[in-house]
Amino acid sequence: MKRISQRDIARQLGINVSTVSRALRGLDGVSAEMKAKIEQLAEDGGYRPNPFAASLRYDTTRMIGIVVPDVAFNQYAQIVKRIEAEARQAGFLCIITDSDDNAENEANCIEQLVNMHVDGIIICPSQETTDFSQLLRLRQAKMPIVLFDRAPDIGLSSIIINDTASAFQATTTLIESGARRIAFLGGPNQMKQNTDRKHGYLKALRENRIPISTELVKCHHISFNSGLNDTIELLSLPSPPDAILATHGLLAIAALQAVTSRGLRVPDDIAIIAYMSDWVSEMSHPRLTFVKQNLREIGTKAFRLLLDQMNGDDSTQHVVVKARLELRDSTK
C-alpha cells in the first residue's frame, strides 16, 4: 500500500506543502486546528519522512557505508555489529556491503555506496586489492573514509592491531616452548597486514638466533583450501615444522585439519598459534592458542574516526589497538 506523502496531505487540505512540512516538523506558523488535521491525515495514511528528500535539502543522508571482505566471517561480523551500534546511537543508518574478498566486487560496492550519497565509508580492503586510487579520489573530493584491519599506508585514516608486535610475541612463545622449525602461514604479500606479521615472525627468529628457512614461509590466498594445501606441503618436507603461526582463522583451521589427518598430535608433535576469534578457538579440538583482537574497540574507534571526518576534521589519524595472546591447548 502506498504511503501518503506531504504533497498528498497538502492537496487534500488545499494548503501549501511547506505548511504541511512545518506542521510535521513541529515548527511555528501553523494554527493548532490545521496542525491537528495534518497530523491526523499523516497518521491515517501511514506517513513516513523521506530521508532521500531530506538529504537534498540538508546535503546529508545520515547514512554510512561499510565494506567488508566477508560479512559472514565472525571477526568482521563482530566489528560491523559494533560500528552499527555506534552509528545508530549517533543517528546514522549503516549500509553493509560484502566484497567477497574480491577487488572488482569491492570497487562496485564503493561505487554503489557513493551513488547512494552515503556520508562516509568504513572499509576493510580485500586481499586482492592493490589499486587504491578510487578511495584516494573520493577522499580528495572530501568523502570521509576510514580503513580497518587491512590498512595500507596510503594517507587515509586507519585502525589496525599491533600486527608486528603480536606476531613477534606469538613466535617468541613458540620458541620458548621448544619449537625450532616454525612455519608462517599467511596471506598475499601485497597486504601490509601480512608483511607486518611476517616481519614480527622473522624478528623473533633472528633475536633467538634461529635460522630462517624460506621453505617454511607460505604466503598465498587466504582460504581454507589454500591453507590445507600449504600445510600438507609443509608436513611433507624432509624436515617438517614443529610449530605453525597462522595469520588468519581459515588458515588455522585448515592447518589443524591437515595436521590431525596425518595422525600428528597437537601440541605434542606440532604446536599452532592463530589469529582468530575466541569462540572459534573454543570450538576447535584441541582449543587453539590465539591472538585475541579487541573487535569491539576496533569497531567503536573506526566509527569515531569517521565521525570526526564527517564533523569537518581533515586530519589523517592512525590508531593501533593492542592485541594479546590467549594461551589454550595447541601450545605446550
Side-chain angles (χ1 to χ4, degrees):
M1 183 177 68
K2 182 182 177 182
R3 289 182 177 141
I4 198 169
S5 68
Q6 289 188 16
R7 191 173 298 279
D8 294 330
I9 296 172
R11 189 181 299 114
Q12 289 187 42
L13 295 176
I15 58 178
N16 292 327
V17 175
S18 60
T19 303
V20 176
S21 176
R22 293 181 68 83
L24 294 176
R25 287 187 288 153
L27 301 178
D28 295 334
V30 184
S31 69
E33 180 182 0
M34 180 57 70
K35 185 173 183 293
K37 289 181 180 180
I38 292 170
E39 290 175 345
Q40 189 61 55
L41 274 175
E43 183 178 348
D44 293 344
Y47 170 77
R48 292 289 184 275
N50 186 335
F52 295 101
S55 70
L56 294 175
R57 290 196 301 271
Y58 305 114
D59 196 28
T60 177
T61 59
R62 304 296 291 180
M63 296 190 301
I64 66 168
I66 305 173
V67 185
V68 291
D70 184 355
V71 75
F73 192 66
N74 180 258
Q75 174 178 320
Y76 299 129
Q78 289 191 51
I79 293 173
V80 166
K81 183 176 181 179
R82 192 63 223 158
I83 293 172
E84 197 277 333
E86 291 286 333
R88 183 173 62 250
Q89 189 173 11
F92 287 85
L93 180 70
C94 293
I95 301 175
I96 301 161
T97 62
D98 188 326
S99 71
D100 197 27
D101 232 348
N102 175 274
E104 185 177 351
N105 289 346
E106 177 181 290
N108 289 335
C109 288
I110 295 168
E111 188 68 22
Q112 289 174 14
L113 292 172
V114 172
N115 289 341
M116 295 184 74
H117 295 269
V118 295
D119 294 331
I121 296 174
I122 299 175
I123 178 171
C124 175
S126 81
Q127 62 178 307
E128 294 181 357
T129 304
T130 56
D131 182 3
F132 296 94
S133 58
Q134 182 185 27
L135 291 176
L136 292 172
R137 285 195 301 271
L138 290 173
R139 189 68 192 104
Q140 267 192 328
K142 302 301 181 182
M143 166 68 79
I145 295 173
V146 171
L147 305 172
F148 74 93
D149 194 39
R150 304 169 181 173
D153 291 329
I154 56 172
L156 298 179
S157 290
S158 63
I159 179 161
I160 60 172
I161 68 164
N162 52 334
D163 288 306
T164 300
S166 59
F168 175 85
Q169 182 189 11
T171 308
T172 300
T173 297
L174 291 170
I175 294 169
E176 290 174 348
S177 69
R180 290 298 178 268
R181 293 273 296 169
I182 303 171
F184 180 89
L185 208 56
N189 281 317
Q190 70 260 19
M191 287 171 51
K192 183 177 183 297
Q193 178 192 74
N194 189 71
T195 57
D196 285 348
R197 291 176 183 178
K198 185 165 60 176
H199 177 68
Y201 156 81
L202 294 172
K203 181 183 177 186
L205 295 182
R206 292 190 188 99
E207 291 196 5
N208 286 276
R209 295 182 172 83
I210 294 177
I212 295 170
S213 300
T214 56
E215 63 185 4
L216 295 179
V217 178
K218 300 288 187 181
C219 296
H220 299 125
H221 191 78
I222 297 174
S223 69
F224 181 86
N225 287 339
S226 178
L228 193 66
N229 293 333
D230 282 344
T231 306
I232 289 172
E233 284 187 17
L234 289 168
L235 297 177
S236 301
L237 291 171
S239 181
D242 53 12
I244 294 174
L245 174 61
T247 64
H248 192 280
L250 279 175
L251 301 177
I253 296 300
L256 180 60
Q257 181 170 312
V259 169
T260 55
S261 70
R262 291 291 184 95
L264 299 172
R265 296 168 300 167
V266 177
D268 297 328
D269 298 316
I270 184 165
I272 299 176
I273 293 181
Y275 282 76
M276 61 179 6
S277 300
D278 45 6
W279 78 269
V280 179
S281 169
E282 293 300 323
M283 292 291 287
S284 63
H285 182 74
R287 298 180 307 161
L288 291 171
T289 292
F290 66 102
V291 177
K292 182 177 177 63
Q293 305 176 56
N294 193 330
L295 305 179
R296 182 185 179 91
E297 185 177 358
I298 292 172
T300 296
K301 290 188 174 179
F303 176 74
R304 291 179 182 173
L305 285 180
L306 191 74
L307 187 61
D308 285 346
Q309 291 183 38
M310 291 189 294
N311 288 334
D313 185 353
D314 283 333
S315 65
T316 300
Q317 303 180 59
H318 300 293
V319 176
V320 178
V321 174
K322 189 175 181 181
R324 67 175 187 270
L325 190 64
E326 292 283 333
L327 298 177
R328 293 296 184 268
D329 306 326
S330 66
T331 49
K332 299 176 183 178

